[in-house]
Amino acid sequence: MARIPKPLPDGVLHWPGFYPREAQEALLADIRAGVANAPLFTPTMPRTGKPLSVRMTNFGTLGWVTDKDGGYRYQPRHPVTGEFWPPIPDELLRLWRDLFLDEQPPQACLVNFYTDDAKMGLHQDSDETNRAAPVLSVSLGNACLFRIGGNLRNDPTQSFRLESGDVMALTGPARDAFHGVDRIYADTNDLLKDGGRLNVTLRRVT
Ligand SMILES: O=C(O)CCC(=O)C(=O)O
Ligand SMILES: [Mn+2]
């Protein structure tokens, strides 16, 4: 019997293969240019100081950071260099504008880099004061297994793959859904020469 694909939860929008390879390369070049000025850093958990397995940086007027003493927060400067974050690449601003005509522009672009053994635990994006605006994400490099549930931690979840060039958004009823990345599939894409996965998320914070 053919397997019927399960529809995504209400408000989860997924555009598989949104960016063709050339556009992925252009976006990667923009991200690399930003990372040259705002290097990836290793975030740590509030209180325990345990390092996350992803490395991250940000673009925009506000960037999401976390460390042992300060916890989860947005701030205008890079926690290691002390410099303001670089601007959000034009292509990503355009993407947001094209998809979300009526929304104010994003203030934060969080850049996550996953090595092939990294993951991200189930969480809500809840440090934004503005929880009405969507969270928009673009995936580059190796595929991952993305998990999404409901607004309660114990709600049932479903999982699907995000591939290089995919765009996804958590909107409306899914804006506060618990989500995470269970695994990266090594050797599934050659955009990143040394493997791994890059994900950028655009957010409105205030
Ligand atoms: O890497 C992803 O696809 C998700 C990233 C994420 O949930 C986050 O940065 O809050
Ligand atoms: Mn998230």
Side-chain angles (χ1 to χ4, degrees):
M1 200 176 85
R3 289 198 296 158
I4 310 290
K6 198 171 170 197
L8 294 173
D10 246 14
V12 179
L13 310 181
H14 182 201
W15 292 264
F18 184 97
Y19 283 113
R21 175 71 183 218
E22 271 187 25
Q24 294 174 38
E25 284 167 4
L27 194 51
L28 177 61
D30 291 345
I31 295 169
R32 283 204 208 284
V35 170
N37 291 312
L40 294 166
F41 60 92
T42 299
T44 56
M45 294 290 287
R47 292 180 302 279
T48 62
K50 186 176 180 286
L52 275 63
S53 67
V54 294
R55 286 185 297 148
M56 52 181 60
T57 189
N58 291 269
F59 308 141
T61 52
L62 288 171
W64 189 84
V65 300
T66 171
D67 53 39
K68 186 174 194 292
D69 298 326
Y72 302 147
R73 63 197 186 272
Y74 280 94
Q75 63 182 42
R77 290 174 185 266
H78 192 289
V80 179
T81 68
E83 303 285 341
F84 289 110
W85 306 107
I88 299 177
D90 284 343
E91 173 52 38
L92 294 174
L93 293 174
R94 188 171 335 134
L95 174 68
W96 176 282
R97 241 185 356 254
D98 287 350
L99 296 178
F100 307 121
L101 274 182
D102 299 330
E103 299 289 347
Q104 292 181 283
Q107 293 158 306
C109 175
L110 173 60
V111 179
N112 291 309
F113 177 71
Y114 299 76
T115 51
D116 290 331
D117 57 358
K119 49 186 153 203
M120 188 177 285
L122 206 63
H123 67 278
Q124 285 174 303
D125 291 356
S126 58
D127 301 308
E128 301 74 26
T129 331
N130 181 340
R131 305 272 286 274
V135 174
L136 177 62
S137 98
V138 182
S139 295
L140 294 172
N142 280 335
C144 79
L145 185 64
F146 185 82
R147 178 192 291 269
I148 183 136
N151 290 353
L152 301 175
R153 180 170 287 280
N154 291 323
D155 283 345
T157 62
Q158 67 187 86
S159 298
F160 58 95
R161 274 169 79 120
L162 289 175
E163 309 273 352
S164 195
D166 284 12
V167 169
M168 200 203 43
L170 302 183
T171 71
R175 167 61 183 79
D176 288 334
F178 276 86
H179 59 279
V181 171
D182 286 346
R183 63 168 294 194
I184 307 296
Y185 295 101
D187 305 319
T188 49
N189 181 272
D190 65 0
L191 183 72
L192 305 177
K193 295 300 162 249
D194 296 321
R197 170 175 181 264
L198 263 177
N199 173 265
V200 294
T201 60
L202 297 168
R203 301 133 187 250
R204 182 81 203 171
V205 180
T206 61

